[in-house]
Amino acid sequence: MSPPLLVTEDDGQGNASIVATASSQSLDSVSPNEARLKEHNYLGLSDCSSVDSSTVPSLSNEKKNLNLKATELRLGLPGSQSPERDPDLFSLRSTKLDEKPLFPLLPTKDGICSLSQKTVVSGSKRGFADTMDPEFPGNAGINIMLSPKPSGAQLTTVKEIPSKVLQERPSAANGTGHNHTGASISGSAAPASKAQVVGWPPIRSFRKNSLATTSKNNDEVDGKPGPAALFVKVSMDGAPYLRKVDLRNYTTYQELSSSLEKMFSCFTLGQCGSHAASGREMLSESKLKDLLHGSEYVLTYEDKDGDWMLVGDVPWDMFIDTCKRLKIVKGSDAIGLAPRAVEKSKSRS
Amino acid sequence: MMNYFPDEVIEHIFDYVASHRDRNVLSLVCKSWYRIERWTRQRVFIGNCYSITPERLIRRFPGLKSLTLKGKPHFADFSLVPYDWGGFVYPWIEALAKSRVGLEELRLKRMVVSDESLELLSRSFTHFKSLVLVSCEGFTTDGLAAIAANCRFLRELDLQENEVEDHKGQWLSCFPDSCTSLVSLNFACLKGEVSLGALERLVARSPNLKSLKLNRSVPLDALQRIMMRAPQLADLGIGSFDHDPESEAYIKLKNTILKCRSLTSLSGFLEVPPHCSLAAIYPICPNLTSLNLSYAAGIQGSELIKLVRHCVKLQRLWIMDCIGDEGLGVVAMTCKYLQELRVFPSAPYGNPAAVTEKGLVAISMGCPKLHSLLYFCHQMTNAALITVAKNCPNFIRFRLCILDALKPDADTMQPLDEGFGAIVQSCRQLRRLSLSGRLTDQVFLYIGMYAEQLEMLSIAFAGESDKGMLYVLNGCKKLRKLEIRDCPFGNMALLTDVGKYETMRSLWMSSCEVTVGACKSLAKKMPMLNVEIFNENEQEDCSLEDGQRVEKMYLYRTLAGKRKDAPEYVWTL
């Protein structure tokens, strides 16, 4: 009865699991916000709350069609974004173009992957695509040959420019003489990759380089390339199936607990089936709100050492680092954990 | 009547005339005014460092105290000018030093500044007070150390967007204990670390410090200590804002911020934690007149929106496009005094859900005082531009960059001629204009007809024929700088009115249709122009054939003749 959770990766550390889409079933119970955010996380992007794309409602339909594609472990080639495209789906659609997955799935510390992630059109966090990592000569392999889109007289001058297309280089020190220009500037509706032209858009090199550095720094600080999703399984006693949450969506325990409340409310309200059958008491809504505050249910997590711990003791960042999976246990089962800790989790609200 | 006034009286009157242009006009009235003016001139602005030799400048203005120099052409910002093209400041400093000019202020833009230049500068002028470097390169922190160590009365060290090599020295520690005169210190563009102790001590002994912009290496706790020592700060650039929201340092900072009531200008946030909240600065937002978050790449649009709601007095806003159209709507509702807006792209081709024409229209409706705009968006419409033109007739600078360079009106698929036409027709004071999107010759007809005050025009991927460029050259009487790239303008446009170029500072044309022969012909007719073409081909022995298309051409009027420091690929015809 498990819904097709399109999880393609789940290593023990709860590292970047790449979930292409939320499962269609869980869509109903998950807030639209989360569904949207999961889309983003496939690309390893920070949750772009600013991306209130009006195309989101249409996602639910397209999601089903693209489920299969979505599970393919692909990353869009650098520069393969078209601004008109919904950023979530684009990387999925880009698989239709002739691309090979050039990069390993899980980003590693080397230049390439942070590179490819950075090139993705993104929300606020991303700076410029530092697509040609200067320390990484091997990047020449990711050049794309693009066919010029003929769009009238303006492009006649372009023909004489050498046709090798390189991604935009962040020029160190104001123009190092690399005058590679794009083969074309595609028309507005081009689904194909955009050629990148030297000096366009007209942004100061210093600004471009600086933003590229910021992206890089942020990546390194996280310890993972990019603020990749941190999906962990959440199980609840008596629930017929597990859920997954991205810990990066939250910054406090309160947020996490509210979200879990919402997520698991369906199992305690109105779904008589298995609960009634097993004879368990049904939680009323108010009781449900006590999920973390009170005695009925307690949130625990399994840490890196394999021990089950009470959620809420350590600072949030440390928690994220060590949490492998979450479990909502009945209060009575949690007696083994320090009662004071339960009080603490109460006061966390 | 003026003939009977002694010189001292006229000098005194001239003291009140500050602007360069007015001064230039004064000097043309008569010989004695020319004489008096040149002896009393203290501030000189040279828009093109190759237009005159330093020696000649000094001969005319021996009383020079403040010099502003600009070097490379504007398109150098976008990597279109090859490396080592020129713009070296050393000859200027050398000449000024030799002539014992009492230089106090030097402001440079897009110039190559070596450490030797900075060292010479620091040792040659005892009353040197102010160094401002914008978009320069060629120096390291060693040069800064020399400035710090030797300029005893330094008031201002302002480094904006320079490429500075970090030599891991302790340049900031080189400010002697006796240096207490600092008013403005901006090292936000430096990449390396500075001695935090030295920085704090420097701030502590600078009671006149009004403007301080830190780089990303300065952590939050140091920021807090610095702000404690400088409650009089009016202009603050925060380096790193990275913090643990529950840390003591952050709580301390929040309290310290409450005390900084004189802050009117805020910038920086070069490093921010994930999901950064800006709540700590809400208390000072109502006082801010200037806010620059264009380098704060980590801050989410929603956070920006929350922040802007508090900024009721804002006059200048530089922000990233992740604020979105919705965010710009909030700006329009909140910032009624807004005069200058810059919206920068947060990703190379923009975030598709970032700003569009809607945001700009909202701004135009809410901010009637807006006069300067730099707007990167990924689409625009004629209707929007027409509305903006109607709402904001006061534009002085209007720079629109549609990231897809050839994109037409997003609704009608028409060129954007009518939209820009409306702008120039409505904004009669327009001095600077940058175009983008799909444009035909028609837009240039409008510009030539209506843009009477236009001084600088930037064109890319626009036009259909020589007529376009001719409309502009014929119509815009006050045109000073024209820069064109990737347009189908050719020899006819270039050569029809060669006298025009002597009335302008410079003309840049790259990836257009002009040929070597035409440039040669132009150079021959106009000896007061330097016509430079850049030949960046690898071939050693290429002789330029007349029929060959010119990839890059830069011409400028000059009194200095052909320059001697041009690199090999620059051919001055």
Side-chain angles (χ1 to χ4, degrees):
Chain A
M1 202 184 139
S2 248
L5 274 179
L6 301 172
V7 174
T8 49
E9 180 97 354
D10 179 25
D11 61 353
Q13 268 89 35
N15 269 346
S17 317
I18 302 191
V19 170
T21 63
S23 70
S24 38
Q25 195 164 354
S26 59
L27 252 185
D28 307 332
S29 48
V30 168
S31 69
N33 205 32
E34 283 175 52
R36 198 161 52 225
L37 290 172
K38 278 180 186 155
E39 301 298 322
H40 289 269
N41 288 327
Y42 165 74
L43 305 171
L45 300 176
S46 59
D47 49 316
C48 334
S49 50
S50 61
V51 183
D52 292 323
S53 173
S54 56
T55 64
V56 167
S58 65
L59 280 180
S60 42
N61 300 325
E62 293 170 317
K63 249 187 282 258
K64 296 188 173 118
N65 301 333
L66 286 173
N67 276 351
L68 230 55
K69 281 281 183 196
T71 59
E72 286 190 57
L73 306 176
R74 310 254 200 155
L75 292 170
L77 278 180
S80 60
Q81 298 281 350
S82 169
E84 284 74 19
R85 293 284 156 141
D86 181 292
D88 313 324
L89 292 183
F90 188 79
S91 63
L92 310 177
R93 281 206 195 132
S94 67
T95 61
K96 290 181 187 160
L97 302 175
D98 279 350
E99 295 169 16
K100 308 175 206 127
L102 294 178
F103 307 116
L105 169 65
L106 248 199
T108 57
K109 280 273 185 181
D110 67 43
I112 303 183
C113 293
S114 47
L115 198 110
S116 63
Q117 286 195 332
K118 270 184 259 178
T119 62
V120 167
V121 170
S122 74
S124 53
K125 191 151 192 176
R126 289 291 170 208
F128 279 97
D130 189 3
T131 58
M132 297 305 274
D133 191 339
E135 299 115 40
F136 213 93
N139 288 343
I142 58 171
N143 294 346
I144 323 169
M145 286 302 290
L146 300 166
S147 51
K149 282 244 158 228
S151 39
Q154 278 87 335
L155 292 182
T156 50
T157 57
V158 155
K159 278 189 205 146
E160 294 168 54
I161 297 165
S163 65
K164 69 179 158 156
V165 177
L166 285 180
Q167 304 302 327
E168 216 162 24
R169 290 177 180 274
S171 57
N174 253 353
T176 50
H178 291 264
N179 283 330
H180 308 287
T181 53
S184 80
I185 309 99
S186 19
S188 51
S193 318
K194 280 206 175 323
Q196 298 196 26
V197 179
V198 167
W200 194 266
I203 299 153
R204 266 194 194 162
S205 321
F206 179 86
R207 184 176 288 277
K208 269 198 283 202
N209 296 345
S210 163
L211 292 174
T213 313
T214 309
S215 304
K216 220 187 262 181
N217 285 346
N218 285 342
D219 295 347
E220 287 161 10
V221 159
D222 286 343
K224 309 166 178 56
L230 203 55
F231 281 93
V232 294
K233 286 184 187 170
V234 187
S235 59
M236 175 165 160
D237 291 348
Y241 50 80
L242 281 64
R243 300 297 306 275
K244 271 222 165 181
V245 290
D246 176 10
L247 291 180
R248 293 225 183 273
N249 287 344
Y250 315 108
T251 54
T252 65
Y253 289 113
Q254 176 60 37
E255 284 175 28
L256 173 64
S257 86
S258 321
S259 180
L260 290 177
E261 276 172 41
K262 291 194 199 113
M263 203 182 267
F264 284 90
S265 61
C266 64
F267 299 120
T268 50
L269 295 171
Q271 289 212 2
C272 330
S274 49
H275 290 269
S278 65
R280 278 183 212 197
E281 188 180 43
M282 292 241 294
L283 283 184
S284 68
E285 232 182 59
S286 58
K287 272 200 174 180
L288 182 65
K289 283 187 180 21
D290 288 337
L291 197 65
L292 279 192
H293 309 292
S295 52
E296 275 295 338
Y297 283 82
V298 166
L299 188 57
T300 63
Y301 72 101
E302 184 184 10
D303 72 358
K304 282 187 174 144
D305 300 325
D307 299 320
W308 285 93
M309 320 280 293
L310 187 71
V311 165
D313 286 334
V314 297
W316 177 258
D317 291 317
M318 199 187 296
F319 167 68
I320 289 192
D321 267 341
T322 57
C323 172
K324 279 167 53 180
R325 51 192 299 178
L326 289 163
K327 190 169 182 178
I328 304 172
V329 298
K330 220 170 165 219
S332 49
D333 297 339
I335 293 258
L337 301 165
R340 211 165 16 101
V342 177
E343 289 306 307
K344 234 202 235 175
S345 59
K346 257 193 212 165
S347 65
R348 278 277 170 191
S349 48
Chain B
M1 199 56 203
M2 292 290 272
N3 291 339
Y4 302 114
F5 285 173
D7 284 358
E8 294 82 14
V9 174
I10 302 184
E11 276 173 30
H12 191 65
I13 298 174
F14 283 6
D15 273 349
Y16 291 96
V17 181
S19 101
H20 302 293
R21 290 180 197 206
D22 291 345
R23 280 250 163 190
N24 292 344
V25 167
L26 282 182
S27 64
L28 294 174
V29 167
C30 63
K31 274 200 184 142
S32 74
W33 278 32
Y34 178 91
R35 179 177 45 84
I36 297 169
E37 198 280 319
R38 66 178 270 257
W39 281 102
T40 58
R41 176 92 79 138
Q42 293 187 343
R43 313 180 65 88
V44 176
F45 170 85
I46 303 289
N48 173 7
C49 65
Y50 290 118
S51 61
I52 190 171
T53 62
E55 291 77 17
R56 186 158 172 174
L57 180 75
I58 296 164
R59 264 203 309 273
R60 178 163 170 194
F61 299 115
L64 188 58
K65 288 216 171 79
S66 162
L67 178 61
T68 303
L69 283 174
K70 292 192 180 180
K72 301 185 200 180
H74 175 233
F75 275 177
D77 281 350
F78 318 132
S79 315
L80 287 177
V81 174
Y83 185 65
D84 78 359
W85 169 85
F88 306 104
V89 78
Y90 189 84
W92 287 86
I93 299 179
E94 197 182 23
L96 290 161
K98 267 201 194 133
S99 313
R100 303 183 183 284
V101 166
L103 192 70
E104 293 182 10
E105 181 179 285
L106 187 62
R107 309 165 77 90
L108 305 176
K109 187 166 185 181
R110 278 191 288 270
M111 294 200 73
V112 178
V113 181
S114 60
D115 283 346
E116 288 84 13
S117 323
L118 293 175
E119 275 158 43
L120 183 60
L121 176 69
S122 71
R123 282 184 279 113
S124 308
F125 309 103
T126 41
H127 288 97
F128 191 75
K129 294 194 175 71
S130 169
L131 180 63
V132 179
L133 303 177
V134 180
S135 289
C136 295
E137 54 167 353
F139 61 104
T140 77
T141 47
D142 294 344
L144 297 178
I147 297 287
N150 302 330
C151 299
R152 295 196 298 147
F153 302 108
L154 195 69
R155 287 201 203 144
E156 179 176 26
L157 178 60
D158 186 359
L159 308 170
Q160 299 177 28
E161 300 188 326
N162 303 291
E163 297 282 355
V164 184
E165 208 177 294
D166 192 87
H167 276 189
K168 311 230 181 306
Q170 296 295 343
W171 68 273
L172 213 119
S173 315
C174 295
F175 281 105
D177 289 342
S178 53
C179 174
T180 57
S181 45
L182 269 183
V183 173
S184 165
L185 177 62
N186 172 7
F187 61 94
C189 65
L190 297 189
K191 301 184 186 91
E193 293 183 1
V194 295
S195 156
L196 297 176
L199 175 60
E200 289 171 41
R201 286 192 298 275
L202 179 63
V203 170
R205 64 177 185 273
S206 303
N208 299 322
L209 194 66
K210 283 280 183 301
S211 169
L212 178 64
K213 295 183 184 167
L214 311 170
N215 77 345
R216 61 179 57 197
S217 77
V218 179
L220 200 93
D221 54 339
L223 170 68
Q224 186 269 329
R225 290 192 294 270
I226 288 167
M227 288 176 78
M228 281 294 285
R229 291 193 190 275
Q232 77 284 2
L233 274 180
D235 178 10
L236 175 65
I238 290 179
S240 170
F241 198 61
D242 203 353
H243 61 272
D244 177 353
E246 289 165 38
S247 65
E248 204 184 307
Y250 184 63
I251 295 169
K252 260 192 187 170
L253 179 73
K254 281 200 278 192
N255 292 332
T256 306
I257 286 178
L258 291 171
K259 299 199 184 89
C260 291
R261 287 288 157 195
S262 355
L263 272 182
T264 56
S265 170
L266 191 61
S267 61
F269 294 88
L270 308 174
E271 299 272 354
V272 296
H275 311 284
C276 176
S277 159
L278 294 175
I281 58 173
Y282 295 167
I284 49 168
C285 287
N287 297 333
L288 291 181
T289 56
S290 168
L291 180 62
N292 179 357
L293 295 177
S294 63
Y295 281 97
I299 302 183
Q300 315 263 358
S302 52
E303 229 9 82
L304 293 175
I305 294 176
K306 278 194 248 171
L307 181 77
V308 155
R309 287 193 203 278
H310 293 87
C311 301
V312 290
K313 280 205 203 144
L314 219 53
Q315 293 171 17
R316 172 161 53 163
L317 177 63
W318 291 25
I319 204 148
M320 299 192 78
D321 65 359
C322 48
I323 195 174
D325 284 334
E326 186 200 331
L328 289 179
V330 174
V331 171
M333 270 195 324
T334 313
C335 309
K336 292 304 180 186
Y337 302 104
L338 197 67
Q339 294 174 19
E340 178 182 337
L341 175 67
R342 296 196 189 190
V343 180
F344 292 95
S346 48
Y349 278 91
N351 178 348
V355 298
T356 68
E357 77 278 6
K358 299 187 182 58
L360 186 58
V361 168
I363 290 283
S364 76
M365 294 196 331
C367 307
K369 292 189 192 279
L370 195 67
H371 61 60
S372 290
L373 180 76
L374 172 60
Y375 197 75
F376 286 85
C377 57
H378 84 287
Q379 66 179 50
M380 186 49 58
T381 64
N382 284 310
L385 284 174
I386 291 169
T387 305
V388 168
K390 229 186 332 201
N391 294 336
C392 290
N394 300 319
F395 273 117
I396 302 175
R397 294 172 207 98
F398 190 86
R399 296 156 69 187
L400 184 69
C401 176
I402 302 167
L403 293 164
D404 183 346
L406 288 169
K407 192 161 183 173
D409 182 318
D411 291 338
T412 67
M413 305 313 270
Q414 293 296 303
L416 288 168
D417 301 331
E418 297 304 312
F420 281 106
I423 294 283
V424 292
Q425 199 176 351
S426 165
C427 304
R428 279 330 192 27
Q429 302 304 313
L430 195 68
R431 296 208 297 253
R432 181 167 180 184
L433 179 64
S434 298
L435 307 170
S436 60
R438 185 181 294 284
L439 297 163
T440 70
D441 286 345
Q442 185 72 9
V443 70
F444 299 113
L445 175 66
Y446 291 140
I447 293 173
M449 261 170 51
Y450 295 112
E452 289 166 353
Q453 302 299 319
L454 195 66
E455 296 178 4
M456 181 169 176
L457 180 62
S458 310
I459 310 172
F461 307 104
E464 297 161 311
S465 75
D466 286 335
K467 282 201 281 194
M469 185 166 162
L470 284 172
Y471 290 142
V472 171
L473 291 175
N474 290 338
C476 299
K477 300 296 177 201
K478 298 211 175 165
L479 196 64
R480 292 194 293 117
K481 287 181 281 183
L482 181 57
E483 44 187 28
I484 304 172
R485 64 164 293 180
D486 293 276
C487 296
F489 303 144
N491 298 338
M492 208 254 289
L494 183 69
L495 295 176
T496 296
D497 180 10
V498 294
K500 174 78 175 173
Y501 305 126
E502 249 182 26
T503 69
M504 291 166 56
R505 185 191 297 175
S506 64
L507 168 68
W508 167 282
M509 291 180 78
S510 61
S511 305
C512 295
E513 301 287 337
V514 294
T515 65
V516 172
C519 294
K520 279 186 184 168
S521 155
L522 173 60
K524 205 162 169 197
K525 286 189 199 157
M526 303 292 296
M528 301 293 269
L529 299 180
N530 275 356
V531 180
E532 295 185 8
I533 57 185
F534 305 168
N535 180 21
E536 293 163 273
N537 288 332
E538 314 268 311
Q539 308 142 297
E540 293 273 324
D541 61 343
C542 53
S543 54
L544 297 175
E545 290 164 16
D546 281 9
Q548 206 175 322
R549 204 174 66 93
V550 169
E551 190 50 44
K552 290 177 184 165
M553 180 204 72
Y554 180 56
L555 65 82
Y556 50 92
R557 67 180 175 190
T558 179
L559 299 171
K562 184 172 166 176
R563 63 183 173 111
K564 299 181 185 69
D565 61 2
E568 279 191 12
Y569 60 81
V570 170
W571 301 53
T572 307
L573 303 175

